[in-house]
Amino acid sequence: MNAVRPTLEKVAARAGVSRATVSRVVNGSPQVKPEIREVVMRAVEELGYVPNLAARSLVTQRADSIALVFPEPPARVFSDDPMFASIIRGVSQEMDLADKQLVLMLSGSPRGQERVERYTTSRHVDGVILASLHGADPLPAALARRGVPVVCGGRPIAGGGPPSVDMENVGGAEQAVRHLVASGRRRIATIAGPQDMIAGIDRLTGYRNVLRDSDRRSIVAVGDFTRDSGATAMRQLLRDDPALDAVFAASDMMALGALQVLRQSGRRVPDDVAVVGFDDVPAAAYAEPPLTTVRHPIHDMGRELARLVLSLASGEDVDTPVILPTELIVRESA
Amino acid sequence: MNAVRPTLEKVAARAGVSRATVSRVVNGSPQVKPEIREVVMRAVEELGYVPNLAARSLVTQRADSIALVFPEPPARVFSDDPMFASIIRGVSQEMDLADKQLVLMLSGSPRGQERVERYTTSRHVDGVILASLHGADPLPAALARRGVPVVCGGRPIAGGGPPSVDMENVGGAEQAVRHLVASGRRRIATIAGPQDMIAGIDRLTGYRNVLRDSDRRSIVAVGDFTRDSGATAMRQLLRDDPALDAVFAASDMMALGALQVLRQSGRRVPDDVAVVGFDDVPAAAYAEPPLTTVRHPIHDMGRELARLVLSLASGEDVDTPVILPTELIVRESA
DNA sequence: CGAACGGCAGAGAGCGCTCTCACACAGCAT
DNA sequence: ATGCTGTGTGAGAGCGCTCTCTGCCGTTCG
């Protein structure tokens, strides 16, 4: 019907005021007399005026949008692992509240990485959330150099680095393994996560801490948080120590994979082998048997990340790393 | 280090040419002498120049970004259902190829809906992908009025409406139910999806078609595609007809819920009751027993949606609805 | 009664870019 | 020499908005 968008100018003409006044009304400045505001509002309404954000951000130097970057290959980000989705949801919720837009970027490929860098450094976003950090990602440094606010999920491995939100990975893993120890398990293995990610490293550390203190030998296989890698790792563990009586998997998806291998190998869970996961994904509760796991507030992590980056973007200082608590959920698998 | 971004002007000064020439080089116009191009490129490099996209889109009237809108409540979009994630991945992949940005919007709440409308109509995006359509969403009309290209996943219920990509929902359901009939099942129930979504409607239609043709009575319960709703529906069906010997669930998540209820009620699958799902989510293959299901190319749907909206945005016409094929994956549950 | 003030509106200068147009200059035909 | 092309470059006008600055008015105070 009306494909041409009216400009401020048009609205001003219609309302019989100046552009500046319309701008004031649109942006809710208190410096406008109520009756004039009224007239302008009506004109806005009648013309269906919507501000041109490009023009606005050109002058304000703000974009009112935030990039959420997943540095994983897309296949990984959105397999059946609901972690990523939870983060998105958390971030998105907070963005809604702040009336900011969420620009989603997957930077799995090298090409993608370059694009992300170009885009995020071009002041087209007010800040960047890095959902997770692998080893030495060059992005944080590039952004810092440009003065673009960055926060990241999972504290940086090296220390220093950008502000971050993390969770009690060490503590959570300790809780899980302590639970296994307390129930009398002697040969407790672990399926660790990728060792270039802080969550992978920390959960393994937690496992080691408890084993060391309780005088048990550690039995380790490494996965990449996916179900298949969990299954593979479980087979490996069974080969390494057929008599193991417990497994702590650093992610629920890996635990689910392990459960299946255990079943195939004729072990009963938890009678022969106890299994504890990490994440408390929805599927954990539906597993056979229902999976004992460590719950962490991944959704809150998304929200917290969003809040932080928004604070940074508006020039405030933030106190990080923020560490979110975890909680052991005891079900039937251990 | 260098928080102020250099402008075209600065680059021009450094290279000793005019703004226009730098612009030409940056945008790859052939109208520039190689040696001058060289000089300009070096200046760009040295200053770390990155074009200001806001300024560019102000004049070009393009935003180089596309909105992907999920009209569901966030909790729904990203529960443990990986469908949404697959769409995102597909869309994202195509956007990468086209060098466009993906702006993700969840419009579950009424407030969100309004925000989405404001944002998408403000020419801040070149087009909009509506991931799914519920009954009478006002957004397509609003966008059409503004001349903003829209495509949607799942053809509109009412007919007409925006261009869309859909899949063989009727045909897929028919295949599934025919499989049940062929294996001699007599009392075939269905757990239908929400009847305000085309996927829900069509899959039920497919079920009805086959039952009608094979002289069986239909037994229907309705869910909302989620696992819990599947479980609830299954209990209901068992009450309605304790002797049923097959269930066609309109989504794998519902089938998974049904599987669990069946197990709890002491039925063996597939011996007592055969179960077929729809979607072929990763978890289907890992279910106990592995779920027979209808696979559809949800990822391709994302890609197709992206391609369509990009075509529309560049003024081309498109031929829709595009219908993607489905395929019956026979595993052990039926 | 004039000066000072405070609340409100308008004028106008950009934000950083693209794009049209004009123009300079080379090469060739007239 | 004059005119014509055609190629390559620069000048300059905006795109639609915000925001500072200026100036108007009505009020209050010395």
Side-chain angles (χ1 to χ4, degrees):
Chain A
M1 189 173 281
N2 181 19
V4 280
R5 292 179 345 100
T7 66
L8 255 201
E9 192 80 52
K10 294 261 195 305
V11 178
R14 172 138 194 159
V17 298
S18 72
R19 255 184 6 256
T21 300
V22 179
S23 175
R24 276 186 274 258
V25 170
V26 170
N27 293 292
S29 153
Q31 297 283 88
V32 182
K33 252 204 263 184
E35 59 257 43
I36 297 216
R37 173 189 310 276
E38 192 57 36
V39 174
V40 172
M41 299 261 258
R42 191 158 43 243
V44 165
E45 193 73 18
E46 287 166 0
L47 295 171
Y49 170 74
V50 185
N52 179 320
L53 300 179
R56 176 181 289 170
S57 60
L58 182 56
V59 32
T60 58
Q61 304 283 32
R62 285 177 300 108
D64 289 326
S65 65
I66 297 286
L68 173 57
V69 178
F70 287 98
E72 335 271 333
R76 175 67 200 299
V77 175
F78 294 111
S79 53
D80 50 347
D81 192 330
M83 294 288 90
F84 302 100
S86 291
I87 295 185
I88 296 186
R89 209 168 76 223
V91 171
S92 166
Q93 189 176 340
E94 227 34 58
M95 290 296 154
D96 269 21
L97 254 34
D99 225 31
K100 303 273 189 247
Q101 286 317 312
L102 207 200
V103 179
L104 188 71
M105 316 193 73
L106 313 183
S107 72
S109 63
R111 189 161 167 280
Q113 211 164 339
E114 187 220 330
R115 279 189 54 246
V116 167
E117 183 164 340
R118 222 165 8 98
Y119 188 79
T120 51
T121 56
S122 80
R123 286 260 181 259
H124 205 223
V125 292
D126 301 328
V128 176
I129 300 174
L130 239 51
S132 68
L133 221 42
H134 284 256
D137 194 320
L139 192 57
L143 290 168
R145 213 176 320 121
R146 296 283 182 171
V148 179
V150 203
V151 299
C152 65
R155 61 174 211 288
I157 294 175
S164 61
V165 178
D166 203 356
M167 40 207 172
E168 280 275 335
N169 281 314
V170 176
E174 286 173 355
Q175 264 185 295
V177 181
R178 238 182 266 122
H179 175 72
L180 257 13
V181 169
S183 58
R185 306 289 169 169
R186 298 296 318 171
R187 310 177 85 133
I188 305 174
T190 190
I191 303 176
Q195 295 298 299
D196 64 342
M197 291 178 72
I198 197 72
I201 296 172
D202 282 0
R203 291 174 196 176
L204 179 55
T205 304
Y207 163 82
R208 289 217 155 105
N209 288 350
V210 175
L211 284 214
R212 188 184 343 98
D213 296 349
S214 61
D215 195 32
R216 284 166 172 78
R217 196 169 58 85
S218 61
I219 315 168
V220 180
V222 177
D224 65 2
F225 285 149
T226 64
R227 176 172 217 145
D228 284 348
S229 78
T232 305
M234 190 68 241
R235 274 187 285 269
Q236 158 98 47
L237 289 174
L238 251 22
R239 243 176 286 130
D240 291 355
D241 184 352
L244 57 79
D245 61 3
V247 179
F248 164 59
S251 81
D252 279 355
M253 292 317 289
M254 294 198 297
L256 258 23
L259 236 37
Q260 191 156 22
V261 169
L262 253 8
R263 198 180 307 130
Q264 283 162 3
S265 78
R267 266 95 171 168
R268 287 164 308 159
V269 175
D271 310 2
D272 301 328
V273 180
V275 176
V276 181
F278 206 116
D279 289 343
D280 194 26
V281 301
Y286 297 110
E288 193 63 43
L291 192 63
T292 293
T293 186
V294 179
R295 174 183 297 167
H296 54 67
I298 183 76
H299 176 251
D300 291 341
M301 180 161 151
R303 301 190 55 174
E304 194 58 43
L305 282 167
R307 257 182 254 132
L308 283 184
V309 78
L310 257 14
S311 296
L312 285 174
S314 56
E316 296 161 36
D317 275 341
V318 299
D319 208 18
T320 69
V322 174
I323 307 285
L324 270 16
T326 55
E327 176 192 3
L328 183 69
I329 305 293
V330 178
R331 297 204 181 93
E332 295 170 29
S333 71
Chain B
M1 189 174 279
N2 181 17
V4 281
R5 293 181 341 102
T7 67
L8 255 201
E9 192 80 53
K10 294 260 194 305
V11 178
R14 172 141 196 158
V17 298
S18 73
R19 250 178 17 248
T21 300
V22 179
S23 176
R24 275 187 274 261
V25 170
V26 169
N27 294 292
S29 153
Q31 297 282 87
V32 182
K33 254 205 257 179
E35 58 258 43
I36 296 219
R37 173 189 309 278
E38 193 55 38
V39 174
V40 172
M41 299 261 257
R42 191 159 43 244
V44 165
E45 194 72 20
E46 287 167 359
L47 295 171
Y49 171 74
V50 184
N52 180 319
L53 300 179
R56 175 180 289 169
S57 61
L58 181 57
V59 33
T60 58
Q61 305 283 29
R62 285 177 300 106
D64 289 327
S65 65
I66 297 285
L68 171 57
V69 178
F70 287 98
E72 335 271 332
R76 176 67 199 298
V77 174
F78 294 110
S79 51
D80 50 347
D81 192 329
M83 294 289 91
F84 302 101
S86 291
I87 296 185
I88 295 185
R89 208 168 77 222
V91 170
S92 166
Q93 189 177 340
E94 228 31 59
M95 290 296 152
D96 269 22
L97 254 36
D99 224 31
K100 302 271 189 250
Q101 286 316 314
L102 208 200
V103 180
L104 187 71
M105 316 193 73
L106 313 183
S107 73
S109 63
R111 189 161 168 280
Q113 211 164 339
E114 186 219 331
R115 279 189 55 246
V116 167
E117 183 164 340
R118 225 167 2 100
Y119 189 78
T120 51
T121 56
S122 79
R123 285 259 183 262
H124 204 223
V125 291
D126 301 327
V128 176
I129 299 173
L130 238 51
S132 70
L133 221 43
H134 284 256
D137 195 319
L139 193 56
L143 290 167
R145 213 175 322 121
R146 297 283 181 171
V148 179
V150 203
V151 300
C152 65
R155 62 173 211 289
I157 295 175
S164 60
V165 178
D166 203 356
M167 39 205 172
E168 281 274 337
N169 282 313
V170 176
E174 285 174 356
Q175 264 183 296
V177 181
R178 239 183 264 121
H179 175 72
L180 260 10
V181 169
S183 58
R185 305 289 169 167
R186 298 295 317 170
R187 311 177 84 132
I188 305 175
T190 191
I191 302 177
Q195 294 299 299
D196 64 341
M197 291 176 73
I198 197 72
I201 296 172
D202 282 0
R203 292 173 195 176
L204 180 56
T205 303
Y207 164 83
R208 290 218 155 103
N209 287 351
V210 175
L211 284 214
R212 188 183 344 96
D213 296 350
S214 62
D215 195 32
R216 283 165 172 78
R217 196 169 58 84
S218 61
I219 315 169
V220 180
V222 177
D224 65 2
F225 285 148
T226 63
R227 176 173 217 143
D228 284 348
S229 78
T232 305
M234 190 66 241
R235 273 187 284 268
Q236 159 99 48
L237 289 173
L238 251 19
R239 243 175 285 132
D240 291 355
D241 184 350
L244 57 80
D245 60 4
V247 179
F248 164 59
S251 82
D252 279 355
M253 292 318 290
M254 295 198 297
L256 259 21
L259 236 36
Q260 190 155 23
V261 169
L262 252 11
R263 198 180 307 128
Q264 284 162 5
S265 79
R267 266 95 170 167
R268 286 163 310 156
V269 175
D271 310 5
D272 300 327
V273 179
V275 176
V276 182
F278 206 116
D279 289 343
D280 194 25
V281 300
Y286 298 110
E288 194 62 43
L291 192 64
T292 293
T293 186
V294 180
R295 174 183 298 169
H296 53 68
I298 183 76
H299 176 251
D300 291 341
M301 179 161 151
R303 299 190 57 173
E304 194 57 45
L305 283 167
R307 258 182 254 131
L308 284 184
V309 78
L310 257 16
S311 296
L312 286 173
S314 57
E316 297 162 35
D317 275 341
V318 299
D319 209 17
T320 70
V322 174
I323 307 284
L324 271 15
T326 55
E327 177 193 3
L328 184 69
I329 305 293
V330 179
R331 297 204 181 93
E332 297 170 29
S333 71

